[in-house]
Amino acid sequence: FATDNILISKLVGLSTVAIYSNYMLIRTALSSITGQIFQSVSASFGNLNAQGTAQQKLDVFYVMNFAGAWIFGFCSICFFNLVNPFITVWLGEKYLFPKTTVFWIVLVFYISGMRQPCLTAREAMGLFWYDRYKPVFEIIINLFFSITLGIKFGVCGIMAGTVISTMATCFWIEPYIVYKYGFCTSMQTYFIKYIIYTTITLMCAVIIYILCNFITYKGVYELAAKLIICGIVTNIIFILCYMNTWEFKYIFTIIRKIT
């Protein structure tokens, strides 16, 4: 966040930093809320790592990964469709980014969020040593592409640089370490599930975006109408897509026992 502000101020201008900061406040709030969920799971996964079998650990990780895909998919769709109406009501239209810029901000949020299950497993298993050089390469790649693309494309280019650095390092290194040294198995299934979850999220995002475009209200009414669409339709689509998966049935069984 601080690095992005510096790059934006140098490459784009201080006025853009003020607008960008508003989006980051919302993104940080979402990250804090979702981060609490995975932090609460970390201790339980640590106990399972000490006492459970390799298959039990892998199964729980898949459930955690599924939950992460649902949570961050839902939050990303809501973020993309609701952030501009919210800022319009809050601060006014002069503090808005175009949809293209919002897309890149949301994409960074989604990719970072989808890392949480692997980071939680890595923390619980104590596998920090194996990726100790990863941050160095991540920073170097991020700075290079953020500056190069930022000069030409502004905020979108800076966000794209973050996406490139994450995909070049964290995206594959973190699951590789967790699967090789934690689960001692191939990570092929992880990437297959990642592709499936992302495809469903993207499909759902397109449907929600089309539905939200039918809203002609302005101000609070626009925000309320889009909130209803995002909150209800997104979860209905996810339920229809995932209801036959064992991960969904596992979580549904736990929720039913609690209630």
Side-chain angles (χ1 to χ4, degrees):
F1 182 22
T3 304
D4 289 344
N5 276 342
I6 294 172
L7 290 175
I8 292 171
S9 65
K10 297 294 184 182
L11 301 178
V12 184
L14 289 174
S15 59
T16 307
V17 173
I19 301 175
Y20 176 75
S21 298
N22 297 324
Y23 286 84
M24 289 304 99
L25 285 174
I26 299 172
R27 196 184 90 178
T28 302
L30 281 175
S31 299
S32 297
I33 295 170
T34 53
Q36 291 297 321
I37 298 173
F38 288 94
Q39 286 180 9
S40 64
V41 174
S42 181
S44 299
F45 194 86
N47 292 332
L48 180 64
N49 181 57
Q51 302 176 3
T53 64
Q55 188 59 47
Q56 287 175 329
K57 290 186 287 185
L58 192 58
D59 288 344
V60 171
F61 175 79
Y62 283 141
V63 171
M64 187 165 57
N65 193 43
F66 170 76
W70 190 305
I71 291 169
F72 290 104
F74 173 72
C75 289
S76 296
I77 291 170
C78 290
F79 191 7
F80 180 76
N81 289 283
L82 299 177
V83 66
N84 275 2
F86 176 77
I87 291 178
T88 300
V89 173
W90 177 29
L91 299 170
E93 293 186 356
K94 65 179 180 179
Y95 290 97
L96 296 182
F97 275 142
K99 279 291 185 179
T100 305
T101 307
V102 175
F103 168 79
W104 283 104
I105 293 173
V106 173
L107 183 60
V108 172
F109 170 78
Y110 176 78
I111 293 175
S112 298
M114 290 293 284
R115 293 171 54 197
Q116 290 304 311
C118 280
L119 293 176
T120 300
R122 186 197 65 172
E123 180 180 345
M125 295 178 177
L127 302 175
F128 305 104
W129 175 259
Y130 300 102
D131 65 347
R132 60 193 182 278
Y133 299 119
K134 179 199 67 180
V136 177
F137 292 102
E138 182 184 2
I139 292 172
I140 293 173
I141 296 172
N142 191 358
L143 287 175
F144 174 78
F145 282 101
S146 292
I147 293 173
T148 303
L149 297 175
I151 293 172
K152 186 173 183 179
F153 300 106
V155 177
C156 291
I158 294 171
M159 294 295 100
T162 301
V163 171
I164 292 171
S165 66
T166 301
M167 299 300 288
T169 54
C170 308
F171 174 73
W172 66 272
I173 292 175
E174 288 164 356
Y176 172 78
I177 289 171
V178 168
Y179 273 80
K180 180 175 182 179
Y181 300 103
F183 301 137
C184 301
T185 187
S186 171
M187 61 179 179
Q188 180 180 358
T189 303
Y190 170 82
F191 285 115
I192 292 174
K193 288 180 180 290
Y194 194 106
I195 293 172
I196 293 173
Y197 295 153
T198 302
T199 301
I200 291 174
T201 298
L202 183 60
M203 176 196 70
C204 183
V206 172
I207 294 173
I208 298 299
Y209 180 69
I210 293 173
L211 291 176
C212 285
N213 279 341
F214 285 107
I215 303 299
T216 57
Y217 304 116
K218 295 297 180 181
V220 176
Y221 297 107
E222 178 190 12
L223 179 61
K226 290 185 176 181
L227 178 61
I228 292 172
I229 292 174
C230 292
I232 296 176
V233 180
T234 300
N235 284 300
I236 289 176
I237 294 174
F238 280 175
I239 290 172
L240 292 175
C241 292
Y242 294 130
M243 62 188 301
N244 292 323
T245 63
W246 72 267
E247 292 96 338
F248 176 85
K249 294 176 181 177
Y250 181 91
I251 294 177
F252 181 76
T253 300
I254 293 175
I255 294 175
R256 190 169 57 181
K257 288 180 180 178
I258 295 174
T259 56

